[in-house]
Amino acid sequence: MVMSWIWLALILVATICAAITGRGNELAAATVDGAQKAVTLALSMTGSLCLWSGVGELMEAVGITSMLSKLLRPLLHRIFPGSKSDPRLANALSGNICANILGLGNAATPMGILAAKRMVSKTSPDVATNELCRLVVLNTASIQLIPANVAAIRLSNGCQTPFDILPAVWVTSICAAAVGLGAAWILGKVWKDA
Amino acid sequence: MLDYLVPGLLLATCAIGLGKRQEPYGKLLSGAGRGLELVKSILPSLVLLLTAVTMLRASGAMELISGVLTPVFSFFGVPPETAMLVLVRPISGSAALAVGAELMTTYGADSLIGRTAAVMLGSTETTFYTISVYFGAAKIQKTRYTVIAALLADLTGFLMASLTVRLFFR
């Protein structure tokens, strides 16, 4: 339903705006042009998306994921103290975060949901616990080693060095995740439930 | 140095895979097949949304939106042209992809605007979608402060994307 409203709003704004600025011609042409551009874009992204899905699957198979998750354990115990006494929660959490880092979206979500379910409080199961809030915030701030789809879009737009943005992406996403977690930590202390 | 990161990763994964007798080529193949499915699954929404975004650009609405938001964006050092991307990023992943791709086509992938858009796309998530998936699966009604904290993280992402691109590409 949400997407229907967004779609309607986008088309409505474009049409009204074109009527005011008298760009009916361009608007009509854009309907054909945009659809065609989407196919061109998707096709030019296909190669690198396929390659990176392949590399992702290989990284998981050879155990890079589990190596990374061992490295992350101490940090996870700090952010989610509940994982210290619950090895299955700790596994799901580190699996979720490693899959996110390696860009394996398909693998990250099921493990994240598994962790989320184990974080639900027994006494009030419909209220999010502080740890669950932090888990969701961490998942909304994407920390990714190689954002393959962004690199693919850049490449398809004639960029020679699609990976030169990586350091900027790393710094940015780590800052965003830190601010999100920091905000969640502070809010968790002061938040009063009605 | 950065040039060797990606080739090095390809080399290392394959070598480790062979060392562990995992048949890396087969794993790469099946993963690449799944990548094809991924493209197939995002193509329909990309067609719809890139049509809408191209219409917005042609009608002049894109300039209008960034024009209205210019004072706020300039104050924080964020390129006003990315206004549309900032607005749709937390709501829809494919719409953000469409807006970002359109920005790179219009202004160039190596322009300040194109790079900022790329960093924004790469370092943020579809916040509302993620929140609904996780809380939906865990059957949580009261999400408390999650939306506030997540949107603060997004805001930091947009500001830092502009800042890092300015700093790293001078």
Side-chain angles (χ1 to χ4, degrees):
Chain A
M1 252 339 248
V2 184
M3 280 317 289
S4 303
W5 285 107
I6 294 175
W7 166 256
L8 176 72
L10 294 175
I11 303 295
L12 190 69
V13 170
T15 312
I16 291 173
C17 210
I20 295 169
T21 55
R23 295 199 205 173
N25 261 336
E26 289 92 328
L27 183 74
T31 56
V32 189
D33 183 36
Q36 187 52 46
K37 270 200 283 191
V39 178
T40 315
L41 175 69
L43 273 182
S44 57
M45 282 169 65
T46 306
S48 56
L49 268 185
C50 285
L51 177 66
W52 284 103
S53 308
V55 174
E57 190 149 322
L58 182 57
M59 285 196 285
E60 220 179 344
V62 302
I64 292 186
T65 329
S66 57
M67 255 158 53
L68 193 61
S69 72
K70 276 205 192 90
L71 286 175
L72 286 175
R73 275 298 157 84
L75 188 67
L76 285 183
H77 286 328
R78 289 228 155 166
I79 305 174
F80 307 102
S83 66
K84 274 184 220 164
S85 52
D86 184 348
R88 283 187 64 193
L89 174 60
N91 277 335
L93 274 175
S94 57
N96 167 253
I97 289 159
C98 290
N100 272 327
I101 291 175
L102 298 177
L104 310 169
N106 297 334
T109 311
M111 280 186 278
I113 287 173
L114 192 72
K117 282 183 175 159
R118 291 187 81 84
M119 284 175 171
V120 173
S121 123
K122 297 225 166 27
T123 45
S124 43
D126 64 329
V127 183
T129 58
N130 281 331
E131 289 196 17
L132 182 51
C133 290
R134 287 201 286 270
L135 172 68
V136 176
V137 170
L138 198 57
N139 270 281
T140 64
S142 104
I143 298 184
Q144 221 185 97
L145 191 63
I146 296 176
N149 56 355
V150 180
I153 298 178
R154 298 192 75 212
L155 197 67
S156 73
N157 277 298
C159 176
Q160 300 288 318
T161 51
F163 290 110
D164 66 0
I165 54 159
L166 287 188
V169 170
W170 297 332
V171 173
T172 302
S173 51
I174 288 171
C175 288
V179 168
L181 283 178
W185 184 75
I186 295 169
L187 286 166
K189 302 233 167 215
V190 298
W191 196 267
K192 295 276 179 289
D193 286 302
Chain B
M1 202 38 221
L2 205 61
D3 287 336
Y4 289 93
L5 176 77
V6 171
L9 197 64
L10 293 179
L11 190 70
T13 44
C14 189
I16 298 171
L18 270 176
K20 291 195 170 181
R21 312 212 177 284
Q22 284 275 357
E23 226 221 312
Y25 192 75
K27 294 277 188 272
L28 285 170
L29 268 187
S30 75
R34 271 207 255 168
L36 210 56
E37 282 159 37
L38 185 68
V39 174
K40 199 180 132 203
S41 71
I42 61 170
L43 181 61
S45 54
L46 213 53
V47 167
L48 292 177
L49 291 161
L50 209 54
T51 303
V53 172
T54 312
M55 285 169 76
L56 282 175
R57 171 71 67 192
S59 68
M62 211 71 115
E63 286 96 334
L64 207 69
I65 293 165
S66 27
V68 171
L69 292 170
T70 298
V72 190
F73 275 62
S74 302
F75 180 77
F76 289 105
V78 182
E81 290 82 358
T82 59
M84 193 68 196
L85 179 60
V86 170
L87 291 179
V88 299
R89 184 68 186 110
I91 305 163
S92 161
S94 27
L97 219 56
V99 175
E102 203 272 342
L103 280 176
M104 285 179 226
T105 316
T106 306
Y107 296 99
D110 288 322
S111 65
L112 178 78
I113 297 162
R115 279 209 175 98
T116 309
V119 176
M120 283 177 175
L121 274 178
S123 55
T124 51
E125 258 295 337
T126 317
T127 300
F128 287 109
Y129 169 78
T130 311
I131 290 176
S132 66
V133 166
Y134 277 79
F135 284 143
K139 297 192 177 66
I140 297 286
Q141 307 275 320
K142 294 186 176 124
T143 61
R144 299 168 74 210
Y145 52 83
T146 311
V147 175
I148 303 173
L151 286 180
L152 275 174
D154 283 344
L155 198 62
T156 312
F158 297 137
L159 295 177
M160 283 305 291
S162 317
L163 186 67
T164 48
V165 170
R166 271 176 216 279
L167 284 179
F168 292 176
F169 296 98
R170 263 297 134 112

